[in-house]
Amino acid sequence: MTGRALIDHDRLLDVLVAEGELMASTADGAPADLPVPSKPTSTLADTVRHVGGVFRMVAARLRGGNGPVRWESTPPPGGALVEFLRGGLHELVDELSAHPADAVCDTWWPLDQTYGFWRRRMAHEATMHRVDLQSATRTPLITVDDDVAVDGVDEALTLWFAHRLSVIGVSGSSEFKVAVRSGGRVWLVSSHGDNKAAWRAAPVDAESVQATVTGEPMTVYLWLWGRLPFTAVRITGDVDAVAALWALLRLATH
């Protein structure tokens, strides 16, 4: 069902832990002012502060039960930036581990009001920003397993494109229907005025589209999040339709 992860939520919790620790080890000792290639106005320090703050905000939201309470993005006086990140990670993981993935909690997606939503969302949040830090430090990129990347593709399309654009009030005249193929799965993505949709589909359903995007799971995953250039994937059909999808995704995931 659209709205739930394609892989086990315990696995996603493990991904969150591993990616958060990898972020910390990548940032440790690196110059704080290194620019992040995918976001030229952001630095390594900005990224670490952002993720450490997100971890704390989500943990506070889960404890409080209804929405973020305070954005904390600066270490306490005398505190190290990397330890701020690690502290937030441990705080969040402790909170998520204390509840079954299918237990009900507050989220910002109507299709998934469970702790599993946050396990998935934070796993992919950590992965993308770990990629940012490795890019900033020119560290060889570590890939994720195909099933994790495929789940990230699904989240980018069904959560960020199909839901997030309406939340931030993005509308436009772009009309398209594009298929995204990766890891043996197919998603259909459509835009018609204010209506944006993305759903898991059967291969036969992808025959009546304007264009198709194809690539290895890690490539498509990073491409959807703007961590790879537009030309990194294989495009067949109407390139303009894919360009419109790409532009909307940049707004959704900004």
Side-chain angles (χ1 to χ4, degrees):
M1 180 182 72
T2 297
R4 297 300 175 97
L6 295 173
I7 58 177
D8 182 77
H9 284 105
D10 287 342
R11 176 92 183 284
L12 287 166
L13 191 60
D14 290 341
V15 170
L16 169 58
V17 172
E19 293 289 349
E21 290 294 344
L22 187 51
M23 278 193 71
S25 62
T26 301
D28 197 10
D33 60 352
L34 285 176
V36 175
S38 64
K39 296 183 177 182
T41 60
S42 294
T43 65
L44 179 143
D46 293 333
T47 302
V48 174
R49 288 192 192 97
H50 168 75
V51 179
V54 168
F55 287 164
R56 282 171 166 75
M57 182 187 72
V58 173
R61 180 175 191 151
L62 292 172
R63 287 194 299 268
N66 53 359
V69 292
R70 182 168 64 92
W71 181 265
E72 182 183 353
S73 59
T74 305
L81 197 57
V82 170
E83 292 312 311
F84 174 74
L85 172 64
R86 281 201 171 103
L89 173 65
H90 297 161
E91 184 179 333
L92 175 60
V93 170
D94 286 348
E95 188 65 30
L96 290 173
S97 300
H99 304 273
D102 59 357
V104 174
C105 73
D106 177 62
T107 80
W108 50 268
W109 196 16
L111 290 180
D112 191 356
Q113 295 282 304
T114 70
Y115 282 88
F117 168 86
W118 290 113
R119 290 188 181 196
R120 185 192 207 195
R121 176 78 289 280
M122 291 297 97
H124 294 303
E125 178 84 2
T127 302
M128 280 301 125
H129 288 303
R130 181 268 295 172
V131 169
D132 288 339
L133 293 188
Q134 289 190 325
S135 297
T137 57
R138 300 184 182 276
T139 304
L141 178 65
I142 296 174
T143 62
V144 300
D145 291 341
D146 281 355
D147 60 340
V148 175
V150 166
D151 185 68
V153 170
D154 185 81
E155 195 215 41
L157 295 174
T158 61
L159 172 61
W160 291 92
F161 181 86
H163 175 68
R164 185 63 179 168
L165 285 171
S166 64
V167 171
I168 63 178
V170 171
S171 60
S173 58
S174 298
E175 294 190 9
F176 58 78
K177 188 174 183 182
V178 172
V180 177
R181 293 176 176 267
S182 189
R185 288 185 175 269
V186 179
W187 295 262
L188 296 184
V189 189
S190 70
S191 174
H192 184 78
D194 293 343
N195 297 317
K196 307 292 187 292
W199 63 98
R200 303 164 190 167
V204 67
D205 297 328
E207 294 177 357
S208 58
V209 296
Q210 292 163 264
T212 299
V213 173
T214 309
E216 294 300 318
M218 187 68 177
T219 299
V220 177
Y221 182 30
L222 295 178
W223 181 83
L224 290 170
W225 276 93
R227 267 59 179 189
L228 288 177
F230 182 72
T231 55
V233 296
R234 296 186 295 278
I235 299 172
T236 56
D238 187 349
V239 175
D240 289 341
V242 178
L245 166 62
W246 171 264
L248 288 169
L249 276 168
R250 301 289 63 73
L251 295 173
T253 59
H254 177 69

